[in-house]
Amino acid sequence: MFYEDLSTYAYLDHDAFTDRESGFHALWYRPAYARLNVGWLEAGRPYPTGAVPPGFVDKLRAVQEIQWMNVCLGVHECDLCPGPGAPEGNGEIRVPGGPGIAYAAPFLITHYVTVHRYRPPRVFVDAVLALDLGPWTRARWPDVPFPWVPDDAERMLE
């Protein structure tokens, strides 16, 4: 599924959080922030390549360890990888940007960066590097570990 970097995210009108460690999966909310696409690559579509700053990949992996958004029942195989056995993903992550902005990336983004040399937009790289993951790992909303639900989010029922 291809979306141009920094275009408006429109796949879902809500976000749904799943906690990978506990299996909690019932927190749905309608975000008040703008979501911008990053890293939605597809075979046959050009994408920027190049080096990323030191520490970026480690920080991105750390985000994926504590956050899993919009998990789907099916999986998406990396269609940039030839042949069978391509890595799969079925969720997304959110990275807070400037005021009122969050970047929406597929869970395969780390694979794209490390294997296919995808270079995300600088604003996304800077946002990932600027994250203080300590508060995220201690956050609870409500009584569930979760790093990215704004206080003014409109909670939804399943």
Side-chain angles (χ1 to χ4, degrees):
M1 182 177 317
F2 174 80
Y3 296 108
E4 187 174 329
D5 280 347
L6 304 180
S7 63
T8 301
Y9 176 94
Y11 185 66
L12 297 170
D13 70 345
H14 64 275
D15 278 343
F17 168 69
T18 298
D19 177 40
R20 297 181 72 186
E21 189 172 316
S22 70
F24 178 86
H25 63 275
L27 181 56
W28 291 32
Y29 64 96
R30 193 173 320 281
Y33 49 85
R35 297 170 292 172
L36 301 179
N37 293 308
V38 173
W40 297 88
L41 308 184
E42 184 176 280
R45 301 265 194 161
Y47 57 88
T49 60
V52 293
F56 172 74
V57 171
D58 290 338
K59 194 75 151 295
L60 191 57
R61 283 186 177 128
V63 169
Q64 290 177 300
E65 287 298 315
I66 58 175
Q67 188 194 110
W68 208 9
M69 303 291 293
N70 298 338
V71 176
C72 299
L73 294 176
V75 295
H76 172 77
E77 282 189 357
C78 174
D79 65 359
L80 303 176
C81 287
E88 299 174 335
N90 68 337
E92 304 171 7
I93 62 169
R94 295 291 179 271
V95 173
I101 294 174
Y103 300 105
F107 213 71
L108 282 173
I109 190 168
T110 302
H111 168 75
Y112 295 149
V113 170
T114 58
V115 174
H116 301 292
R117 299 197 68 238
Y118 166 62
R119 184 179 34 85
R122 186 68 202 198
V123 292
F124 177 77
V125 171
D126 290 346
V128 169
L129 290 172
L131 285 175
D132 177 3
L133 296 177
W136 279 24
T137 60
R138 293 186 298 274
R140 296 240 187 269
W141 192 87
D143 300 323
V144 174
F146 185 61
W148 181 242
V149 176
D151 292 336
D152 62 352
E154 175 191 346
R155 280 193 70 180
M156 301 168 62
L157 301 175
E158 280 190 62

